[in-house]
Amino acid sequence: MSNLVVWILCIIYFICLSSLTSTANDDQDLFAFEPVRAQSLNVGTAKPRKRYLLYSINPGEGFNLRRDVYMRVASLVKMMNDKEDWTLVLPPWGPLYHWKTEGLKRDKYLWKTFFDIQSLNLYVPVIEFEDFLTENGPVIDDVLYLQHFEGDRFTGHFEEKIEETECIEAPRYSKHADGKYRGWFWGYERVAAKNFHCLSAQGFAAIVIPALRSNYSKARSVLIDRAETLLHNRYGDEDYWQARRSLRFAKPLIDMGDAFRRDRLDSTDDGDITTLHPDWRDHQVKPGHAIGGPYIAAHLRRRDFLYGHRDDVPSINRTALQLLPLIEKYKAKKVFIASDAPDEEFEELKLYIPIAIRYVPPKEILKKYGDGGVAIIDQWICAHARYFVGTSVSTFSFRIQEEREILGFDPDVTFNRLCGDKQESCEQPARWKIRY
Ligand SMILES: Nc1nc2c(ncn2[C@@H]2O[C@H](COP(=O)(O)OP(=O)(O)OP(=O)(O)O)[C@@H](O)[C@H]2O)c(=O)[nH]1
Ligand SMILES: [Mg+2]
């Protein structure tokens, strides 16, 4: 070949190469995505390749909202898996703001510590993050960081929209000398991402589907950060409840809750009519089916709620005044108290209500399952009471209400809240009834 031909071939080669790499890596390209609904998904018929969806949440969010965000993302995966093959990667738990008990491990809790992974898998394919690392290695292809649209959050007009934009606030990821992004990957130092994009998003979970399928995100593994930005695709419908029903607690925690019910509250599934089918897909009962144990339960959210929701959270004295008539009405032998209250507050309550009782975990249980495990045991015991009353707008109380809907309680004995000291009566929680 003459020198000239070699030169021409080289130039063509470099032009092609540079245009290829710029489509793959150009962070500056701005895209706008049209929102899609489930019905409009249109993917080819060839067997799809396996992809991993990871997600992360604003660090300030608590245990119970995080469980709700899981459902939003799981439902998204379910939707996409009509035609694709996504596996949802479960983000390790912790550290969480409320998990403060001294001497406990704070982070990298596996989901199986708290939840029944097999049961989750009956809704969508899920794996623990550690299994993802084994299958995929420590490099995530793309991070999509969701943010709200600047300036127009509270205009009153709701419209679904999503677009790639500049990052509004400095996100928690930075590009390092090796070209990879480092940031908070649940405390796993060796994990990094190849690409990073900020997206302004407003809408239901399905709104990210075009981004997950766009040119830059043909990636095998995609992490959606700030996933709490996404709303439920269809809040409260059958699909919502399928995701919720699949989110069963880990067996050891259920067993500990059941042992406490039996030994301290005279409550068993046979007597209470609260036996669950081993497979959530086969458990379907009518409201009023369950009668619950011979105790009433109250969830008293205290601590930060005493400041954040001052008007809606009663003093201990007023709490007792609201519980006493309920004890009478339901002929309760005990009053189970789930609370983040310090000991002094519980002792004060016991002065007014001597039959009040709380779950105090043995040290080794606390050590193994942490504050999250104890919270679940508390929720499980509340879920089985003959009557439940919670705290206004607490997601901890909401999760108990859902559990009781699954067990088949009459909504009258579930959707209740305590009123604040200055409230004669107060608006009771919305009744999000189960749908099959
Ligand atoms: N064991 C136990 N822990 C509780 C109880 N109430 C609150 N907590 C702790 O406080 C956390 C509650 O925080 P979140 O999950 O954010 O729920 P929330 O604060 O009620 O609701 P948000 O308004 O959404 O923040 C739980 O995860 C527990 O760690 C309780 O009754 N028992
Ligand atoms: Mg909270």
Side-chain angles (χ1 to χ4, degrees):
M1 261 190 294
S2 75
N3 268 353
L4 183 67
V5 175
V6 172
W7 269 110
I8 290 170
L9 283 177
C10 280
I11 288 166
I12 291 171
Y13 174 78
F14 278 112
I15 289 173
C16 288
L17 193 70
S18 73
S19 79
L20 271 178
T21 45
S22 78
T23 5
N25 291 327
D26 193 349
D27 296 351
Q28 303 311 317
D29 272 359
L30 300 188
F31 289 87
F33 308 101
E34 283 298 311
V36 285
R37 297 257 69 89
Q39 302 86 310
S40 65
L41 302 185
N42 185 17
V43 178
T45 47
K47 188 179 180 309
R49 77 212 155 93
K50 183 168 182 174
R51 301 179 74 185
Y52 297 94
L53 188 68
L54 301 92
Y55 72 98
S56 197
I57 298 175
N58 181 21
E61 303 296 349
F63 193 35
N64 292 288
L65 182 92
R66 283 168 187 270
R67 278 148 66 179
D68 190 69
V69 176
Y70 163 80
M71 289 164 55
R72 303 178 209 177
V73 182
S75 153
L76 166 70
V77 167
K78 176 105 187 288
M79 212 179 227
M80 296 197 294
N81 277 0
D82 263 3
K83 301 275 168 53
E84 291 180 273
D85 181 12
W86 289 90
T87 295
L88 179 55
V89 181
L90 302 167
W93 289 98
L96 296 192
Y97 168 75
H98 294 102
W99 293 359
K100 286 186 176 152
T101 305
E102 293 282 334
L104 293 186
K105 159 175 141 75
R106 294 282 161 83
D107 61 0
K108 299 201 184 91
Y109 280 100
L110 299 181
W111 273 64
K112 70 174 182 199
T113 315
F114 306 125
F115 300 100
D116 176 344
I117 303 299
Q118 273 181 347
S119 176
L120 267 63
N121 255 304
L122 296 175
Y123 179 66
V124 284
V126 298
I127 53 170
E128 300 271 9
F129 183 64
E130 295 202 343
D131 297 327
F132 165 80
L133 292 179
T134 310
E135 282 182 24
N136 176 82
V139 180
I140 298 167
D141 291 327
D142 282 4
V143 174
L144 307 183
Y145 188 88
L146 304 184
Q147 53 194 14
H148 291 283
F149 278 89
E150 216 166 5
D152 65 353
R153 273 183 78 177
F154 302 110
T155 55
H157 167 69
F158 181 78
E159 153 193 32
E160 277 202 280
K161 48 185 177 173
I162 183 164
E163 63 191 37
E164 190 184 355
T165 54
E166 303 297 326
C167 302
I168 297 171
E169 27 174 288
R172 296 173 290 154
Y173 302 87
S174 56
K175 198 170 190 169
H176 283 224
D178 61 359
K180 295 203 178 69
Y181 290 83
R182 297 279 181 322
W184 173 252
F185 295 108
W186 308 284
Y188 289 77
E189 304 282 333
R190 67 198 172 98
V191 176
K194 277 190 210 154
N195 297 303
F196 175 85
H197 304 272
C198 279
L199 301 182
S200 291
Q202 169 174 300
F204 304 101
I207 203 172
V208 293
I209 293 175
L212 294 174
R213 291 177 177 162
S214 77
N215 241 2
Y216 69 70
S217 214
K218 291 248 161 48
R220 197 164 108 98
S221 52
V222 184
L223 164 65
I224 297 180
D225 195 356
R226 302 299 302 266
E228 78 284 358
T229 311
L230 302 170
L231 305 173
H232 276 286
N233 277 322
R234 286 167 305 220
Y235 192 82
D237 75 352
E238 292 86 350
D239 178 69
Y240 170 95
W241 280 103
Q242 280 182 20
R244 181 61 183 81
R245 286 154 66 211
S246 74
L247 201 51
R248 284 197 172 174
F249 297 134
K251 174 106 178 13
L253 297 174
I254 290 185
D255 289 346
M256 284 181 267
D258 284 345
F260 186 86
R261 285 170 55 212
R262 186 190 60 226
D263 299 342
R264 309 293 299 276
L265 297 166
D266 198 14
S267 156
T268 60
D269 285 342
D270 285 345
D272 303 354
I273 323 198
T274 49
T275 305
L276 284 172
H277 195 284
D279 183 333
W280 59 266
R281 295 171 301 182
D282 295 326
H283 188 83
Q284 190 167 334
V285 290
K286 294 221 154 55
H289 166 88
I291 61 165
Y295 61 99
I296 62 171
H299 171 233
L300 314 183
R301 185 71 168 80
R302 311 289 299 172
R303 298 197 189 255
D304 49 312
F305 262 45
L306 294 180
Y307 313 101
H309 303 276
R310 193 182 311 246
D311 294 341
D312 292 307
V313 179
S315 62
I316 294 296
N317 177 287
R318 290 296 176 120
T319 301
L321 283 175
Q322 293 176 66
L323 292 177
L324 286 166
L326 294 168
I327 297 172
E328 189 90 340
K329 181 169 177 191
Y330 291 95
K331 304 197 174 19
K333 292 198 234 161
K334 292 273 164 65
V335 177
F336 180 76
I337 302 294
S339 186
D340 54 345
D343 290 344
E344 313 82 79
E345 288 184 357
F346 179 68
E347 292 310 321
E348 186 191 342
L349 185 73
K350 270 192 78 110
L351 295 177
Y352 306 117
I353 304 180
I355 57 168
I357 176 172
R358 74 194 299 196
Y359 172 74
V360 181
K363 272 210 183 74
E364 64 282 5
I365 298 304
L366 188 57
K367 202 150 181 247
K368 185 161 178 194
Y369 296 96
D371 289 320
V374 179
I376 285 175
I377 294 173
D378 269 347
Q379 289 183 318
W380 186 249
I381 301 169
C382 286
H384 288 78
R386 194 144 299 164
Y387 176 94
F388 172 71
V389 58
T391 299
S392 169
V393 304
S394 160
T395 50
F396 192 104
S397 294
F398 292 157
R399 297 292 88 85
I400 295 170
Q401 289 161 358
E402 290 162 358
E403 214 63 52
R404 293 175 65 85
E405 278 293 293
I406 293 168
L407 286 166
F409 281 96
D410 187 308
D412 283 351
V413 294
T414 289
F415 294 99
N416 306 295
R417 59 160 275 213
L418 295 162
C419 300
D421 281 6
K422 294 194 186 119
Q423 299 166 334
E424 205 41 49
S425 62
C426 56
E427 194 184 341
Q428 294 300 304
R431 297 187 169 205
W432 290 105
K433 294 192 204 157
I434 195 162
R435 284 172 57 184
Y436 294 102

